[in-house]
Amino acid sequence: MDRVDIKRLAEKLNLSTSTVSRAFRGNSDINPETKARILSMAKEFNYQPNHYASNLRDKKSNTIAIIVPELANNFFSQAIHGIERVAREKGYYTLIYVTDDEYEKEVMFIEKLYNGRVDGIIMSVSGEANDHAYLNKRGAKSIPLVFFDRVYDDIDVPKVTTDDYTSSFDGTLHLIEGGCKKIAFLVVNKSLSIGNIRMQGYRDALKDAGIPFDERLVIDCSNDYSKNYGILTEMLREQRPDGLFASVERLAISSYYVCHDLGIRIPEDIKIVSFSSLEIASLLNPALSTITQPAYDLGTNAAELLFKTLEGKTEVKDHIVLSSKLIPRKSSVVV
Amino acid sequence: MDRVDIKRLAEKLNLSTSTVSRAFRGNSDINPETKARILSMAKEFNYQPNHYASNLRDKKSNTIAIIVPELANNFFSQAIHGIERVAREKGYYTLIYVTDDEYEKEVMFIEKLYNGRVDGIIMSVSGEANDHAYLNKRGAKSIPLVFFDRVYDDIDVPKVTTDDYTSSFDGTLHLIEGGCKKIAFLVVNKSLSIGNIRMQGYRDALKDAGIPFDERLVIDCSNDYSKNYGILTEMLREQRPDGLFASVERLAISSYYVCHDLGIRIPEDIKIVSFSSLEIASLLNPALSTITQPAYDLGTNAAELLFKTLEGKTEVKDHIVLSSKLIPRKSSVVV
DNA sequence: TTGTAAGCGTTATCAA
DNA sequence: TTGATAACGCTTACAA
C-alpha cells in the first residue's frame, strides 16, 4: 500500500529493475513498447524514482542552494524568481536559505552544504563580518559558488552585480542638481563591498560638484528598524541635511517615518533618493525616487553562470555588471 | 583530496565506519575519547555525513516543502519565516516552491514530491482550478500535508487560517460607518475558499446595514496587474462606487494607481480597505487602511501542526483559526 | 533488448 | 565499547 519502489514495479511488470530504471532515463536502449508499459504502470501507481537513491548513486543532487540575507524584500524575491526560472529549465531544484543578515547562519548553511546536498550555491552575502576564510576551507572549493549583488571581493568566484558606482554617482548628482548642498549618505555596512562602492560614487559626485565630503554625514545604520529610527532622528535633528541618499531601501523607509514624525517635509525640506526595488515606490507619500536594480536579471545571470561552471563549460571567473535605472519621482523633485 | 567520506575518516583513525558513524548520532554507546578524536578529525577535514546516504538509509529526509503562490509578497515571506523558525528548531530543512498562482505548477510540484524528497508539505494553494483530486491519488496520502491561509475545503488535512469572515465583516462595516453606500468587493477568485468566505463577510455586513447586495459590485480580478488596471478602470467609471473592499493586497495597489490616474480622490471620493501585510501601508498616499493577518504566526502554527503529524503525536485534523487586525488609516477616514 | 550484480555512503543489528 | 555486515532504492557495466 505504501510507497511503490522500482522493485515492486518490476515484479508487477515481470521485468527486471534495470529495465524499469531504463524507462526513466533518456539515453538507454529499451523497447518503446516496454517503456510505454512501464510508464503507464508507473503513472497508475504514482511512482517516482526515489530522489535520494538516485542521487546517492549518481553523486549528483540536481539541486542548487540560494542563500540570501532576507526574503521580505522585493529585490531578493525577484532575484530568486530569476534564479528559479533558469534552474527549473535545467531540471534543478532550488533550496532557499535566509540568513537574516547573520554571519553565523551564513557560515552554518555553507558548512552544512558540504554534505553533498547541493551541486552549487548562489549567494548574496550577509556581510556582517569580515572573516571570509570559511569559504576557502577544505571542502568549500569542491562546490561551485556564485555571488550576486552583495559580494566578498576577496573571494575569487564568479559574480554578478550592478553598476553601483555609476548609479550612486548619478543619484547623488541628481540631488545636487536639485539644489542639495548637504547630502547625508545612509549605509548599513560601509565595509561591505556594496556599501563601500556606493559610497565612493557618492563621494565622487560631491567632489565633482565642489562640495566637501563630511564624515559626519555618512550614517552607519543597522538592520534593525527601531535602532535606525533612533539613529536617523538624531542625525536629522543635529545635522539638518537637505538631501538623503539611501544606499539601501529600508533606510529610505525609516527616513520617511522619521521625517513624517519630525514634520520635515519631503521634498521641500529634504530630498530623498534611494536604492530600491519597491514596486509601489510611486504610491508612497511622496513618491520615492529610486535607483532600481534589474533584480530578476541579476538572478538569471547568476544562475546561468553557475550552470556554466556546473557543466564544466569553462572555469568561469567572470564578473558580470548590469545597469540600474535612476527613476526620479517626487521625493527628490519640487514641483 | 575531494569529498571525505566516512570510510576515509575511519581509515585515518584506524577505526571502523560504524564507530565513526556512532560519533555523529546522539544515542549510541561510544567511548567519549574516541568520539572526541573522531569529531576533531572530522572537523579538520570538514566532513559532513552525506545527506543522501543517510536519508536513503533512514527513509527520512528531514526536509519539508513549503509551497506558496508567490514570494514577492510580505504575507508569504513572513509566513515562510515563521515556518522556517520552527523547522530549524526541529532540525529540518525547508524547500520552497513558488507556483506563481499556476495550478499546473502546483500539481507538478506535489507529484514530484512523492519521490521521498520531503517528509511533509505546507501549502497555501493557488486556487486557479477546481480539481483537487490529485491530492487524493495513491501516494498523496502517504505524505503529510498542511494548508495555511488559502485552502481547499474539500481536502481533509489540517489547516491554519485567519478569521476571514469576521474581519471582512468588520472591514465592510468600517466602510459603511464611514458613510459608504456603494461598496465594491474586489476578489481574485471567488470560488476559492478564501475569496468566498471574505465575500460572505462583506455580504452579511451589507445586509445588516440594510444595503442591498449588488452582483455588479463584485469584481472578479486576475493576478495580472495590467489586466486588473483595465478591469478596475472600467468598473470605477461605470459603477462609481464610494467604497472599495479589496480582498487581496494587490487589488488595493491597483486601485490606488487607477484612482490616481482617474483623479478619484481617496478617501474623499472613495474609501478603501484592504487585506494587506504591507509594512509600509502607513507611508502610502494616502495611508492604506488594512486588515492585517498574523502571517508569521500562521507560519509557525502550520509548521507545528505538520510536525505534530510527523511525530505521530496525533492524527491531527485540526483547523486553527487566528485573528486578523483591522487598522483604519487615512484611506478610509476623512479627517 | 533485457537481466544480473555491484556499489553509491550511511546506519542498525548483531556478534565479539 | 567496537567491528562486520546487510540493507536502503537506484543505476550502470557487463553478460546473456
Side-chain angles (χ1 to χ4, degrees), chain B residues 9 13 21 24 30 42 51 53 62-63 77 118 123 137 154 171 173 208 226-227 236 241 253 271 275 307 323 331:
Chain B
L9 215 56
L13 290 156
S21 175
F24 293 96
I30 185 174
H51 188 250
N62 279 294
T63 305
S77 14
V118 299
M123 170 156 83
K137 282 210 283 191
D154 54 341
L173 184 61
D208 270 27
S226 64
K227 264 194 210 153
L236 286 171
I253 302 296
K271 295 187 178 53
F275 272 88
F307 284 114
S323 291
S331 74

Side-chain angles (χ1 to χ4, degrees), chain B residues 6 21 25 47 50 53 57:
Chain B
I6 202 171
S21 175
R25 344 256 89 256
Y47 166 75
N50 182 292
R57 202 27 253 234

Side-chain angles (χ1 to χ4, degrees), chain A residues 6 18 21 25 47 50 57:
Chain A
I6 202 172
S18 31
S21 174
R25 344 256 87 256
Y47 167 77
N50 181 292
R57 186 54 237 238

